Amino acid sequence: MNKAFEKVNIGNLTLPNRFIMGSMHLGIEGEKGVAERMAAFYGKRLDGGVGLIVTGGVAVNEEAKGSKHFFNFHVDEDAKELKKINDLLKNKGAMCAQLFHAGRYAFDRNCVAPSAIRAPINRYVPRALTEEECWKTIEDFGKSAKVAIECGFGAVEIMGSEGYLLNQFFSEVTNQRNDYFGGTPEKRLNMSIEVLRSVIKSVPKNFPVIFRMSGIDLIPGNPTFEEVCALADRLKSERVSALNIGIGWHESRVPTISQLVPRGAWAKIAKKIKDNTPGIPIIASNRVNSP
């Protein structure tokens, strides 16, 4: 248990311990005048001693929003609210902004995805992004990372898990393209790699950039563990600061976070990735309720 309370470095950020509060929406993001309420919520967790808090996903452009309850980095009013949250939490602890794109999970008739394949949990059929739009989205991730720093965040996390856009590009189930961003297992990695490159290029050297990747999708036809490890290796070679291992897609029928799941049951997936990707911090998630 003592290991959990030791300091750890993620990029140029030294955390006082290894407890991370993962991304969670509060249901009030995107509304006006919510900075005080959100800072009060996060502040209690920082007062309790958590080493790092990851925000609920903040959209990297308008079509990236999962619903109306999302901040958008490129809306001035939203950026002001995010900055105010950090100002209110100054000297309390480390805050990490999650760079988010919902892809086909966006509850919007204008949702986009790698391919025009409807998600079982969404009534809308997404429009397939053109290759030009893919590159624009990559650019938007980088620009969002810059805004996150201007808003006072000490780290960023790229959301590439839980069946959201980057995860959709990684899986043959949702990516049936035949261009630079799909067609082979290697090309299905490209969207994630190019987004990481865009973000790293947009932030200062050694600024903490975490990538939340899917350790296992828990849907039929999901990438093999060898493909998952190949993605982890590529992300490491591109100088990502840490890998946060997500579990399952939202459409999966296998429970991942409910009370029925034994505590720490999914940590073994993160352990397997850690064994195959030495030399980089690996974060375990889902039902980690005690040291």
Side-chain angles (χ1 to χ4, degrees):
M1 183 186 295
N2 290 341
K3 189 83 172 175
F5 295 92
E6 292 180 5
K7 292 181 180 180
V8 64
N9 293 323
I10 296 180
N12 61 13
L13 186 64
T14 300
L15 304 184
N17 56 55
R18 295 163 190 245
F19 294 99
I20 293 175
M21 178 179 159
S23 177
M24 178 176 69
H25 280 275
L26 307 187
I28 57 175
E29 288 87 351
E31 297 179 12
K32 292 182 179 179
V34 295
E36 289 86 354
R37 292 167 65 191
M38 294 185 68
F41 179 87
Y42 290 134
K44 285 286 188 181
R45 277 73 189 167
L46 291 170
D47 289 343
V50 68
L52 177 70
I53 292 179
V54 185
T55 67
V58 183
V60 299
N61 54 38
E62 193 61 26
E63 63 192 13
K65 295 167 67 173
S67 70
K68 63 180 181 180
H69 296 296
F70 274 76
F71 286 125
N72 178 345
F73 276 118
H74 306 289
V75 173
D76 289 343
E77 292 80 3
D78 291 354
K80 288 176 183 176
E81 287 290 310
L82 291 166
K83 185 177 187 308
K84 190 171 183 179
I85 292 169
N86 281 304
D87 288 343
L88 291 166
L89 295 173
K90 200 167 185 179
N91 301 321
K92 274 185 174 284
M95 292 292 295
C96 173
Q98 187 182 80
L99 312 180
F100 179 90
H101 197 306
R104 72 176 193 162
Y105 278 173
F107 295 129
D108 188 299
R109 65 178 68 255
N110 298 314
C111 58
V112 298
S115 301
I117 303 170
R118 184 181 68 84
I121 59 173
N122 198 347
R123 59 178 164 165
Y124 299 119
V125 177
R127 178 179 61 80
L129 289 165
T130 66
E131 191 164 354
E132 182 180 357
E133 288 172 326
C134 288
W135 287 109
K136 175 63 169 59
T137 301
I138 289 165
E139 183 181 343
D140 288 341
F141 269 92
K143 289 179 177 178
S144 296
K146 282 185 177 179
V147 177
I149 294 175
E150 293 168 3
C151 290
F153 287 101
V156 294
E157 177 179 85
I158 299 167
M159 175 44 118
S161 183
E162 271 74 26
Y164 292 117
L165 182 74
L166 301 188
N167 207 176
Q168 293 162 24
F169 269 94
F170 182 48
S171 174
E172 190 175 11
V173 174
T174 45
N175 183 349
Q176 296 181 3
R177 306 173 70 95
N178 282 293
D179 58 10
Y180 180 72
F181 297 104
T184 67
E186 292 74 26
K187 287 184 176 181
R188 286 193 290 273
L189 303 181
N190 284 340
M191 190 68 174
S192 293
I193 299 304
E194 295 295 347
V195 163
L196 176 61
R197 288 174 176 170
S198 177
V199 169
I200 288 180
K201 192 184 300 182
S202 302
V203 300
K205 186 177 181 180
N206 295 325
F207 185 84
V209 178
I210 302 168
F211 195 101
R212 183 166 173 88
M213 60 173 285
S214 182
I216 184 170
D217 293 344
L218 300 175
I219 59 168
N222 60 284
T224 65
F225 186 68
E226 288 71 27
E227 289 175 293
V228 170
C229 287
L231 175 59
D233 285 337
R234 287 289 307 279
L235 294 169
K236 177 186 173 183
S237 70
E238 295 291 336
R239 304 190 312 282
V240 73
S241 306
L243 296 175
N244 188 0
I245 310 304
I247 304 294
W249 286 24
H250 289 305
E251 65 200 71
S252 168
R253 297 186 178 186
V254 180
T256 63
I257 57 173
S258 72
Q259 194 174 4
L260 297 171
V261 180
R263 293 183 174 186
W266 295 108
K268 60 187 177 184
I269 301 295
K271 174 65 163 59
K272 287 177 69 177
I273 293 173
K274 182 177 178 64
D275 290 342
N276 282 273
T277 320
I280 185 172
I282 302 291
I283 303 164
S285 67
N286 292 49
R287 287 290 287 161
V288 182
N289 302 70
S290 69

